[in-house]
Amino acid sequence: SFLPDTGQTKCYNNTAEITCPSPGQAFYGQDANFLTRPRSYLGSTATETDLVTSLMWQKADDMQGRIWADAGVHCQSLELESYDDWRLPSRLELLTIVDSGRSGPAISPVFSCESDYYWSGSTTFNADFAWSVDFTRGGSVLSSRNATPNVRCVRGAPLPESVYVDNGDDTVTDKSTGLVWERAGSASQMSWESALAWCENATTGGYADWHLPNILEFASLVDLSRVNPAIDPVFTSPGNMYYSGTTQAGSSGDSVWMVDFYYGYTDAKFKTNMFHVRCVRSGQGMSSPGALNMLLLDGQ
């Protein structure tokens, strides 16, 4: 998979940090119980290369707000370390550098970053809006194109689009990430603690290794070309609000990241809310773009 780990290493109950639980215990199955691909950056004077996604990022933005149209022009005209092929990142690309173990700003300290919104190049059904990511907490929202978030440019091959395969057993494989999803979300809504247990006990498709998806896994499932629901029609979607396994850092532990599949935004809500559940399991995806992209990033 090209998705890095979220960065969350602490475990929580409904109100506070706890020792990470073991299988069978309450609150097992949350984000920090699973380490996917650890974050790793290769830094230079002005750039940071993400060794999981192979994307090269500006280490520091100029902390100047711009309307959306000017944000794209800014990246296209940027020259940094002899590279001139910078662009505005997609929403998902920007979310891959959110560190869900941090807040204010929610990003690795290898970057210089304001606790503010940053533009993505991802558009939506409404031509007056585009997607931005809030690096104070780490959520993604629709912003008016006349708003003035900051801009952090990126270069490298775009992250691959999702390619879904219906496995015919109530599961769907995303060939780009390697993740295997339940085709249908839960008909009922439940609390976060119940959602964790729901996925730990799931046997969909005859598999027993399901878990509640972390927020980055869930964000990869959003189809930005659709609305109500913002998900590929290979899935059935009984409701819009879905829990992730990722607690909001800096929230004292009482709030957790969720995805609203009406529009596709990610936000943090109290764990005592009643939301739907869609479980995920790790599979095998296409090879990471890593090795090929490193050649590109080296300018060869």
Side-chain angles (χ1 to χ4, degrees):
S1 170
F2 58 81
L3 296 177
D5 190 74
T6 64
Q8 183 151 106
T9 57
K10 297 178 180 179
C11 291
Y12 301 86
N13 59 19
N14 282 333
T15 55
E17 184 183 342
I18 57 172
T19 301
C20 281
S22 300
Q25 294 183 323
F27 297 101
Y28 178 77
Q30 59 183 284
D31 189 338
N33 281 131
F34 306 98
L35 178 64
T36 53
R37 302 188 69 188
R39 288 164 178 261
S40 182
Y41 297 102
L42 179 65
S44 65
T45 304
T47 67
E48 290 288 339
T49 298
D50 185 328
L51 298 180
V52 178
T53 63
S54 297
L55 294 170
M56 181 184 282
W57 294 90
Q58 275 183 289
K59 184 192 288 277
D61 65 283
D62 64 3
M63 299 186 181
Q64 180 179 329
R66 292 175 173 85
I67 64 170
W68 188 76
D70 291 345
V73 172
H74 167 70
C75 287
Q76 289 167 7
S77 61
L78 182 68
E79 288 192 25
L80 204 59
E81 293 188 352
S82 77
Y83 298 114
D84 61 1
D85 56 348
W86 298 92
R87 58 182 173 82
L88 207 51
S90 72
R91 167 185 166 275
L92 184 60
E93 288 170 339
L94 210 46
L95 286 171
T96 65
I97 60 170
V98 167
D99 188 331
S100 296
R102 303 175 186 272
S103 64
I107 194 171
S108 166
V110 302
F111 294 97
S112 174
C113 185
E114 287 195 301
S115 295
D116 206 340
Y117 289 87
Y118 281 73
W119 276 125
S120 84
S122 298
T123 56
T124 180
F125 64 95
N126 187 326
D128 293 330
F129 290 82
W131 286 94
S132 67
V133 171
D134 170 20
F135 277 91
T136 304
R137 299 184 306 144
S140 56
V141 299
L142 287 169
S143 295
S144 164
R145 293 192 186 190
N146 290 321
T148 55
N150 289 0
V151 184
R152 184 183 307 277
C153 308
V154 73
R155 61 179 297 273
L159 296 184
E161 297 288 328
S162 292
V163 179
Y164 297 114
V165 176
D166 187 336
N167 299 316
D169 59 358
D170 294 322
T171 73
V172 174
T173 299
D174 182 345
K175 304 249 336 151
S176 67
T177 62
L179 297 173
V180 180
W181 294 90
E182 289 185 314
R183 182 169 176 267
S186 64
S188 58
Q189 300 183 79
M190 61 196 80
S191 69
W192 187 63
E193 182 179 1
S194 297
L196 290 165
W198 177 278
C199 287
E200 288 306 303
N201 294 324
T203 56
T204 308
Y207 300 104
D209 56 348
W210 297 97
H211 65 269
L212 198 59
N214 69 43
I215 190 57
L216 189 54
E217 290 170 334
F218 233 158
S220 76
L221 200 62
V222 172
D223 186 335
L224 298 184
S225 71
R226 303 176 191 276
V227 66
N228 189 26
I231 192 170
D232 190 280
V234 70
F235 296 95
T236 59
S237 184
N240 292 321
M241 311 286 269
Y242 281 78
Y243 270 126
S244 82
T246 308
T247 295
Q248 181 198 340
S251 69
S252 80
D254 62 359
S255 298
V256 63
W257 288 103
M258 47 73 64
V259 179
D260 172 15
F261 278 98
Y262 190 98
Y263 291 118
Y265 68 79
T266 53
D267 196 9
K269 302 286 186 182
F270 288 124
K271 294 175 174 178
T272 49
N273 284 333
M274 305 292 279
F275 293 146
H276 292 280
V277 184
R278 188 187 305 272
C279 309
V280 71
R281 53 186 295 271
S282 299
Q284 298 297 321
M286 301 178 199
S287 60
S288 163
L292 289 175
N293 283 6
M294 288 310 294
L295 294 176
L296 170 67
L297 292 166
D298 291 337
Q300 299 176 8

